[in-house]
Amino acid sequence: MDKSDYLNNVLTNNGYKSTIQRNLVYEILAENKDKHLSTEEVYDLIKDKNPNMGIATIYRTLQLFEEIGLVYKHNFDDGCSRYEIMAEDSNEIHQHHHLLCKICGDIIEVKEDLMNSLEEIIEKQYNFEILNHVVKFTGICSQCRNKENENGYRKET
Amino acid sequence: MDKSDYLNNVLTNNGYKSTIQRNLVYEILAENKDKHLSTEEVYDLIKDKNPNMGIATIYRTLQLFEEIGLVYKHNFDDGCSRYEIMAEDSNEIHQHHHLLCKICGDIIEVKEDLMNSLEEIIEKQYNFEILNHVVKFTGICSQCRNKENENGYRKET
DNA sequence: GTAGCTGCAAAAAATTTGCAATTGT
DNA sequence: ACAATTGCAAATTTTTTGCAGCTAC
């Protein structure tokens, strides 16, 4: 099955139409699998392919994509929402583990999914159907720790 | 040690002044330990005690409190930041586990902290100093699951 | 053909900022 | 005394909305 077929199936199955704009947004996200694009960034990237698209459409599209599970919406506290494409074969692959450095703002991805046992307990104990989860650790990254040790203690603005 | 002494110590130790406004914000947060107040909500609650306080001060104060670790800043994707007071004796108590229901929007708190082993691994493997973490599970709560079973399948606006 | 979608521009909502007056140490 | 803090109002930023025209089915 082709990438755009997948998108169009998901749209149709959820009662939405397949449009050039939605395909374009999906394309951009697919081309940036590894990134966390903001609405504005998607907008800028799309300009090359279709300069007429309004940013309101991007907002509406990304919102829709999140609703039907095509993308994951991140919040890194940088003043805007960021989106990441969800793997097509996703079911267990909804792992979004990040390390956010308070000092340099770096976002480090964590690979392992050690959350499965925790999920099981929650599903049973709270009778809560888990669709997705986010795990975020805030702290100080390796690089900044090293710098701290060089410079003595921190006090940044 | 008295509550306000604690606040004033933390402020002083971080090079900030103790002010009536900061004490008031802290007081409001302490009175609402169990809640997740937005800036606007803190502002409204403070009006009774000091009607002259501007909302910009609340924004600045909550930001400051987060920076020096007095509060935890939540994001529940409802369009604003929400704050929760951090326990004074916190060190291991930085557990913020929530279940967010996609349907009714309910926020359920999870008590257990099963994250400790995961933290240890991350600290070692990434040499990342963890200051805080947030674990959020999105899904469907018990109540909504039951309603779904009654009504057949969902399709909400 | 018609409901759904888009683009535009205006509106709304949340947060930030500049600056003069005030306050804490 | 003097730097930090506040209050106010204006500015900025992000996101939403209304609506006329366009498009997919």
Side-chain angles (χ1 to χ4, degrees), chain A residues 8 13 31 33 44 56 64 108 112 114 123 136 147:
Chain A
N8 296 333
N13 293 343
E31 285 170 12
K33 264 191 205 314
D44 286 342
L64 175 65
I108 302 153
E112 302 85 337
L114 304 168
E123 297 236 349
K136 250 178 340 192
K147 279 192 203 140

Side-chain angles (χ1 to χ4, degrees), chain A residues 37-89:
Chain A
L37 299 178
S38 67
T39 312
E40 200 83 29
E41 284 167 354
V42 173
Y43 180 58
D44 286 342
L45 287 169
I46 273 183
K47 273 189 189 139
D48 298 335
K49 309 194 180 193
N50 179 354
N52 298 326
M53 234 176 122
I55 197 164
T57 303
I58 319 263
Y59 271 103
R60 284 185 285 227
T61 303
L62 290 172
Q63 228 166 253
L64 175 65
F65 281 6
E66 203 227 338
E67 190 191 313
I68 59 183
L70 286 168
V71 300
Y72 183 77
K73 181 180 185 174
H74 291 286
N75 181 285
F76 296 125
D77 259 332
D78 64 343
C80 61
S81 294
R82 298 185 164 275
Y83 297 87
E84 185 178 358
I85 200 166
M86 206 89 92
E88 290 187 26
D89 50 2

Side-chain angles (χ1 to χ4, degrees), chain B residues 6-128:
Chain B
Y6 172 67
L7 169 63
N8 295 334
N9 280 346
V10 176
L11 285 172
T12 307
N13 292 342
N14 284 276
Y16 298 109
K17 288 184 178 167
S18 164
T19 69
I20 298 164
Q21 290 87 343
R22 287 173 182 167
N23 277 268
L24 257 180
V25 171
Y26 195 74
E27 197 180 307
I28 292 290
L29 291 171
E31 285 170 12
N32 292 275
K33 264 190 204 314
D34 47 329
K35 304 218 186 78
H36 309 104
L37 298 178
S38 66
T39 312
E40 199 84 29
E41 284 166 354
V42 173
Y43 178 57
D44 286 341
L45 287 168
I46 274 184
K47 274 190 189 137
D48 299 336
K49 310 194 180 193
N50 179 353
N52 298 327
M53 232 177 125
I55 197 163
T57 303
I58 319 263
Y59 271 102
R60 285 185 284 225
T61 303
L62 289 172
Q63 229 166 252
L64 175 66
F65 282 5
E66 203 228 339
E67 191 192 313
I68 59 183
L70 287 169
V71 300
Y72 184 76
K73 180 179 185 177
H74 291 286
N75 179 286
F76 296 127
D77 258 333
D78 65 343
C80 61
S81 294
R82 297 183 165 277
Y83 297 86
E84 185 179 359
I85 201 166
M86 206 90 91
E88 289 187 28
D89 50 3
S90 108
N91 213 353
E92 278 322 303
I93 319 189
H94 54 246
Q95 45 183 305
H96 292 285
H97 301 179
H98 293 109
L99 313 181
L100 309 190
C101 181
K102 276 238 170 188
I103 297 183
C104 69
D106 199 19
I107 297 168
I108 303 152
E109 309 251 356
V110 182
K111 288 292 170 344
E112 300 84 339
D113 195 345
L114 305 168
M115 302 296 293
N116 293 335
S117 59
L118 186 54
E119 284 205 1
E120 270 175 42
I121 294 169
I122 287 172
E123 297 236 350
K124 277 191 200 115
Q125 201 155 323
Y126 291 84
N127 185 33
F128 189 91

